[in-house]
Amino acid sequence: MERYGLVLEGGGVRGAYTAGALAWLQDNDITFDYSVGISSGALYLCCYLMKEKDIAYRTAVFHANDPKNTGLAALRKEHHYVAYKYMFNRYLRDQEHLSLKPLKDNHVNMEVGVYDLKEGKTVWMNPDDMDDTLDLIQGCCALPVASAVVDYHGRRILDGGITKMIPIERAVEVGCTKCLVITTKPADYVRKPGSPIVNWLIKRMYKECPQAAKDYEVRHINYYKQIGMINDMVEQGTALHVRPSKNIHVSRFKGDVDKCQELYDLGYRDMEERRQDILQFLGRK
């Protein structure tokens, strides 16, 4: 018996691609036995599982591009380059009224990854760990150095992408035999070693967790291990990898409405163009 998994990379503003791809899955009524997301992939995964593609769309294309989320405005509000608390409070909580309660009520088999500074590793949280403050999902998106640590039920958490940028290992660990993997970088993307300045800042800012700096130093190595694992699974027929078919230039932190609309549309279109591959892979045809 096959066990199908959905695996989502993060990518900050580039997550607009993921939001578009997930809208295609929702429109085609495609579900999975298990799903896992990192960073912005965790947020859009929650929206997809609750059939809230409109919230995902507005967040990816409009809310994420509010200039008050980054730069000087964010520094004034939250003393960090990215103001996730502002975005989650103003838009997702107050304006969109996003609630994670349906995930818990329906016992959805999904996980999101966060980096726990007390444990010095990425840990996996499920709907039983969530509450309607949205603080857990904010922690999933909290980039080291660039945004504030989120205190959540005794944990100090950051983006789980410090170690698990593409959580393919977790899907295999929990028993998925076939995985649809959606990532946010084109095939020619090159992940470089982390900046020495950022690594120094991580050591200074998270002194209670020396492991965080060690993990950041080898982040690019872990990324290529995860890509290598996906490539091997694709060769074996146990994974299908969907990623941007062309490069649309946005940064992790900033984009604009037009570029993010283009990314969203590209995610939807790339899925449609691979419709037969996807349906066949998932045993739908």
Side-chain angles (χ1 to χ4, degrees):
M1 179 79 69
E2 300 286 10
R3 189 163 189 253
Y4 294 98
L6 174 65
V7 176
L8 303 179
E9 185 185 21
V13 172
R14 288 191 294 264
Y17 180 84
T18 304
L22 294 177
W24 185 91
L25 289 175
Q26 183 177 326
D27 285 349
N28 287 276
D29 197 28
I30 293 174
T31 58
F32 296 83
D33 300 308
Y34 167 84
S35 50
V36 58
I38 287 288
S39 193
S40 62
L43 170 60
Y44 296 129
L45 175 61
C46 291
C47 292
Y48 157 70
L49 292 170
M50 296 187 296
K51 301 188 184 303
E52 294 284 7
K53 71 173 183 178
D54 291 341
I55 293 178
Y57 169 75
R58 289 190 293 268
T59 300
V61 175
F62 299 105
H63 303 334
N65 292 303
D66 185 336
K68 297 186 182 70
N69 288 337
T70 57
L72 289 175
L75 285 167
R76 283 195 294 268
K77 283 194 290 287
E78 298 184 24
H79 309 294
H80 286 82
Y81 185 75
V82 183
Y84 279 118
K85 187 179 292 186
Y86 169 82
M87 189 176 88
F88 273 76
N89 285 346
R90 175 172 180 175
Y91 290 121
L92 294 175
R93 210 174 283 137
D94 297 342
Q95 185 170 319
E96 298 290 359
H97 306 294
L98 182 65
S99 169
L100 303 180
K101 191 172 182 293
L103 297 176
K104 184 175 290 194
D105 290 348
N106 294 315
H107 307 288
V108 176
N109 191 17
M110 59 86 71
E111 290 181 311
V112 297
V114 294
Y115 193 88
D116 188 317
L117 287 169
K118 290 184 178 179
E119 295 190 35
K121 65 179 183 179
T122 296
V123 298
W124 305 100
M125 315 287 274
N126 61 46
D128 288 339
D129 301 307
M130 297 177 182
D131 62 34
D132 266 355
T133 63
L134 303 184
D135 287 346
L136 176 60
I137 304 304
Q138 182 184 325
C140 287
C141 298
L143 298 165
V145 177
S147 55
V149 173
V150 174
D151 293 307
Y152 188 75
H153 296 190
R155 296 180 182 269
R156 284 171 49 76
I157 58 175
L158 289 168
D159 184 339
I162 292 175
T163 62
K164 306 293 184 185
M165 282 147 283
I166 311 171
I168 184 64
E169 296 137 313
R170 182 58 178 173
V172 172
E173 273 176 23
V174 301
C176 293
T177 57
K178 284 193 167 185
C179 294
L180 175 62
V181 183
I182 300 172
T183 61
T184 55
K185 286 96 174 171
D188 62 355
Y189 173 79
V190 176
R191 180 169 287 283
K192 299 175 182 177
S195 159
I197 293 173
V198 174
N199 204 33
W200 180 81
L201 286 169
I202 289 174
K203 288 177 182 177
R204 299 276 296 176
M205 293 173 68
Y206 314 125
K207 290 179 181 177
E208 80 272 28
C209 182
Q211 186 61 40
K214 294 176 184 176
D215 286 335
Y216 184 81
E217 255 181 38
V218 298
R219 192 165 177 256
H220 62 297
I221 296 172
N222 285 330
Y223 174 80
Y224 284 112
K225 284 181 180 175
Q226 290 150 20
I227 286 289
M229 183 174 177
I230 293 164
N231 289 342
D232 289 344
M233 290 176 66
V234 168
E235 276 193 28
Q236 296 159 11
T238 57
L240 184 66
H241 188 185
V242 178
R243 56 189 171 190
S245 56
K246 69 175 184 176
N247 195 2
I248 296 171
H249 294 283
V250 298
S251 77
R252 185 175 181 86
F253 305 116
K254 283 186 177 181
D256 61 50
V257 169
D258 290 342
K259 286 286 180 66
C260 286
Q261 179 70 61
E262 194 177 351
L263 262 177
Y264 182 94
D265 292 342
L266 182 65
Y268 198 100
R269 188 167 63 250
D270 282 351
M271 295 288 281
E272 179 61 27
E273 287 180 355
R274 299 193 66 184
R275 170 183 289 274
Q276 295 308 317
D277 292 342
I278 293 168
L279 295 180
Q280 185 173 358
F281 179 77
L282 297 175
R284 299 295 181 96
K285 187 174 180 180

